[in-house]
Structure formats: structure tokens, C-alpha cells
Amino acid sequence: MFGPFAKPVDVNPVITPNAASRFRSPTNDSLVAWEAYATFNPAAVVKDGKVFLLYRAEDASGAQQIGGHTSRLGLAESTDGLHFTRRGTPVLYPDTAQRQNEWPGGVEDPRIVESDDGTYILTYTQWNRDVPRLAVATSRDLINWTKHGPAFARVGGGKYLRTESKSGAILGRIDGNRIIATRVNGKYWMYFGVPDLRIATSENLLDWTPLEDSNGQAVRVLSARPGYFDSWLVEAGPPALLTPAGILVLYNAGSLPSRTYSAGQALFDARDPSRLMARSDSALIKPTESYERTGQYTAGTTFVEGLVPFRGRWYLYYGTADSRVGVAVWDPEGPADRVVGTWHGESICVDKQVDRACKDEEVIYEIDSAAGPRGPVRISADKIVNGVRENMGVFRLSYDSSADQWFADLNTRIRARWTFVPRGNSIVGDLSELPAHRLVRRIAVQRMPR
């Protein structure tokens, strides 16, 4: 099981409505404030060293109630997983393709994985304000999308087109920072549905067939439990993950009598993805903050749809109260594990007026002797002069959890503070004069092979 996840205080919510954004709708040729009312329920993927979110955005048209507006999917990107820049117009929206299924309600609640050839596979809900249908779209660049229509259109003479289907979480394997759709027993698998989780298979990631019982009904693989946080309903969350312990499924959970939405975890058999092996007794994430209880759904919502590994951590993206996007972060290793090791790079002099002896240097840092997962750690700093290593000193680094960085206060030639920020297999650091915090030196080092 994953977690615990922490909600960064200074950045949440990470995406909020923007009344200034405008988009000309191809369905009726009107100019709409497409993300003015709500922005929530995001899919997440890592591409080119950045986190991208495809988030549901609602305009202010229609009835002032949940499901009464038109939804489109916006695209945002981030270099740190916390601070996002948005495109000005949506990337998936109702148009002439699939209009009968997507207008006037729009396109909702995406989940995303990659295929082996790098194609992005998106599941989303088509909402025509009659029947919600789970659908599939594909893209090579996250901007230009091809719609393939309802996921179950070819099954049983179209019988699933007449019933509600939504929330498709395709099973994927973890490959670095990528989640890649993977086969089990020769097929792709997808968990879907509400108020129970059901399961479907596919040969091509586009056309899906639910597993059915002897009566021709889609098999339930996870259901609500009286007396627990998931006593009302369960609904598929982010893409399912193939792990050494089994298939990990994060799911959204409705609770009675509060009707609060939280999220849980379930573990399925990697040899039989329909067989439940274990599930959590308590919620992985639940509404605790004001932004998770204010908006369209005031009972409280942490609706999880995006989960990605990024720079050694897991980033969980979720909808808050059907109104905004939140993020929670889990560090599987602990801060000290990210800095312990041998690092090699350069130390650049920025300001010689503060330290006249300052000059550019090739450096090697040995960081070890962590006192615990949050340190402190010992750092031995060497410089290389004419090919020979010369030790510059040994000191201790302490961890600042609020800024997620390491620091040390020194009093040698000048009174100064070092700050070190790990970024995967690199560390960037600054030496600043105190108390003015004037930048004196900057370092950039890479982890050396062990």
C-alpha cells in the first residue's frame, strides 16, 4: 500500500477557476469562459521532465447544480509538480466528433496512461445529460486528441451504451516516471464504474469488454462496506499499478451518512486482476482542509484521479469539492535517502565583493551518516585542484521540511548559510551571506555511480 500522503500547505489548491480564459465553442460558435466556474478532477502524466495535468473545467452555463454545466479538459504543466502554468484554451472538448454523446454536458473526469509506443491513452466520461458513457481518446503530444468513442460500444450489440459507465482506470506498470499500460495473461485490464468497481479487458486499449457473470452482467470486483469510510459507494481512481505485491488500485469512496468522498486502496492478484486480496480499513486521503469543503460539493471531496512518480516521490492529484485541484505528496524513501551519496560537479562564484577569495571550483561532496530519515546528515566537501582532491571541511546539514531543503549555517571567512535542494540525481545549492542573504556561490552536482 502507498502513503502516507501530505498536502503541501503553501501551494494548495494548485489549480483554481479562471474567469478570464476564453474559448470559441465549435458546437455553437459562441465565446465561452470555459474554466470560470470550476476546475477539478485531474489526470496526471510525466512528460519531458514535467508533470502535466489534464483537468476538468466547467463554464458557468446551464443549471447551477453539479452536472448542469459544460465541461472541457484543460492542460497545465509544472517543473516541480506543485506550481502549474495553464494553456489558455482547452485541449479536449465537445465538437462535431461524438457530439451526440458529449453535448451539452461535455467531457469529464479523465485518467491517463501511456502505451508501449508512447501514445497517450485517455479514458474520460462523455456527458450528454442523458447517459454518462466511458470513452477513449488518444494523443501523441497531449494537445491534439483523437476521439475513439464509447469504450464498450462493440460489446453485446451495444447494450452498455444504454447504461451508465464512467471512471476507467487502466492497469499500468511503473517505468521510471512513466505509467505504461501493461498486459496480464495477454490482455490489457481496466477497473471502472460506480457504485461498484467492475473490470474489463482489451486487446488494443481502445475497445473494451467487461467481464461478465453467467447472467451476462458485469462482474463486481469491489463494493461498498457498511460501517467503513466506503460505506456508500466505490469508484475507480487513478490508473491501477502493477507492483511486486500485486495490483494496487486507488479508489474513491463515498461514506454514509455524511456523503463525504475520501479515497482508499485495494490490492488485487497480479495473476488474476479480478481477485481482491486486501483493502485498507481507513482512508488514504480525506477532506480535512477548507478548500476541500467549499465549492459545489460542501459535504467534502478528495476525488483522486492522477498519480505519478516524479523525482523520487509520488504526487497524487485530486478534485476538491468539485471545484478545484489539490495535490498530496508521498516520499517513499525519506528526505535523507535523497541526499546521501557521492556528488560531483561545480561550484561557481557569484559575488566576489562579499568574499574576495571566492573562485570557481570543481567539487566532490560525500554525504553520509544520516541520523534518521530526516537527518541531520554529515557532508565532507572536497575541491579538485590540478587533479588532486583537497578537503575543504566537514559539517552537518539539517532538513527544513517546510521548504523541502537542507541547510547549514557557517562562520568561516564570512557568516553564511548553505542551502541544498535535491532534484532526483542532482543537487543545486546556494551559499548566501547572512543576515542579508546575498548570494555568494552556487553549486550544481550530480550523483556519482556507487
Side-chain angles (χ1 to χ4, degrees), residues 8 42 59 84 86 119 150 160 164 246 264 282 311 319 338 364 387 440:
D59 61 27
F84 285 86
R86 290 186 259 187
T119 300
Y160 288 99
E164 175 180 319
S282 58
R311 295 180 179 171
R338 300 202 308 273
I364 294 179
V440 179

Side-chain angles (χ1 to χ4, degrees), residues 12 14-15 39-45 51-57 72-76 84 108-112 122-123 236-239 252 301-308 315-320 322-328:
N12 271 315
V14 295
I15 294 180
T39 50
F40 59 113
N41 291 8
V45 65
V51 176
F52 286 81
L53 297 184
L54 286 140
Y55 61 94
R56 175 179 170 182
R72 301 168 178 87
L73 300 187
L75 182 66
F84 285 86
E108 305 177 348
D109 299 353
R111 281 87 166 163
I112 191 170
L122 188 79
T123 62
N252 294 292
T301 304
T302 50
F303 197 87
V304 297
E305 289 191 19
L307 177 67
V308 290
Y315 288 73
L316 179 64
Y317 298 94
Y318 61 98
T320 73
D322 279 13
S323 299
R324 309 170 191 87
V325 173
V327 62

Side-chain angles (χ1 to χ4, degrees), residues 135-441:
V136 181
T138 57
S139 175
R140 297 291 296 185
D141 60 7
L142 301 178
I143 299 172
N144 301 288
W145 291 89
T146 300
K147 296 177 182 178
H148 299 276
F152 306 132
R154 300 178 185 272
V155 179
K159 70 177 183 179
Y160 288 99
L161 294 176
R162 298 183 291 272
T163 59
E164 175 180 319
S165 62
K166 59 193 308 186
S167 304
I170 296 174
L171 172 61
R173 68 182 184 273
I174 305 162
D175 185 356
N177 289 334
R178 302 165 67 201
I179 307 298
I180 302 176
T182 192
R183 295 178 186 266
V184 172
N185 301 329
K187 299 178 181 179
Y188 296 109
W189 296 77
M190 175 176 67
Y191 299 87
F192 73 96
V194 64
D196 304 281
L197 253 63
R198 305 174 190 270
I199 195 166
T201 63
S202 175
E203 297 291 341
N204 59 11
L205 293 170
L206 305 179
D207 303 299
W208 293 85
T209 302
L211 264 64
E212 296 181 341
D213 60 22
S214 58
N215 296 319
Q217 300 297 312
V219 173
R220 302 173 184 176
V221 296
L222 192 76
S223 296
R225 296 175 293 179
Y228 286 84
F229 68 95
D230 49 11
S231 58
W232 176 25
L233 58 83
V234 296
E235 184 172 353
L241 299 174
L242 187 62
T243 75
I247 296 171
L248 181 65
V249 174
L250 271 61
Y251 64 93
N252 294 292
S255 178
L256 292 175
S258 67
R259 295 185 177 261
T260 296
Y261 278 86
S262 57
Q265 303 183 76
L267 194 66
F268 289 83
D269 191 338
R271 294 166 296 184
D272 178 5
S274 68
R275 189 175 80 85
L276 177 66
M277 299 195 301
R279 66 194 293 185
S280 55
D281 289 335
S282 58
L284 170 72
I285 186 172
K286 60 184 179 181
T288 57
E289 309 302 318
S290 60
Y291 55 85
E292 297 164 346
R293 294 181 178 276
T294 54
Q296 294 192 84
Y297 197 83
T298 55
T301 304
T302 50
F303 197 87
V304 297
E305 289 191 19
L307 177 67
V308 290
F310 184 62
R311 295 180 179 171
R313 298 176 174 184
W314 284 89
Y315 288 73
L316 179 64
Y317 298 94
Y318 61 98
T320 73
D322 279 13
S323 299
R324 309 170 191 87
V325 173
V327 62
V329 184
W330 171 46
D331 189 341
E333 294 184 329
D337 293 309
R338 300 202 308 273
V339 296
V340 168
T342 302
W343 305 82
H344 173 249
E346 58 183 359
S347 177
I348 304 299
C349 183
V350 176
D351 192 339
K352 290 188 177 182
Q353 292 184 350
V354 177
D355 181 5
R356 297 189 180 279
C358 179
K359 54 187 175 182
D360 297 349
E361 297 166 337
E362 181 182 1
V363 295
I364 294 179
Y365 296 145
E366 300 274 0
I367 303 178
D368 57 21
S369 303
R374 293 178 174 268
V377 298
R378 186 185 77 104
I379 177 170
S380 177
D382 292 355
K383 63 181 178 180
I384 299 178
V385 180
N386 298 323
V388 178
R389 287 176 62 165
E390 297 181 3
N391 186 257
M392 297 182 289
V394 177
F395 53 95
R396 287 158 58 96
L397 290 173
S398 298
Y399 181 61
D400 177 1
S401 59
S402 63
D404 188 25
Q405 65 185 20
W406 296 82
F407 71 93
D409 291 333
L410 306 177
N411 192 3
T412 52
R413 293 193 301 269
I414 59 172
R415 182 168 168 252
R417 166 171 286 194
W418 271 113
T419 57
F420 288 77
V421 180
R423 295 177 177 171
N425 286 322
S426 65
I427 291 177
V428 294
D430 289 339
L431 180 68
S432 300
E433 178 196 24
L434 295 177
H437 293 281
R438 185 173 175 179
L439 182 62
V440 179
R441 180 178 288 278

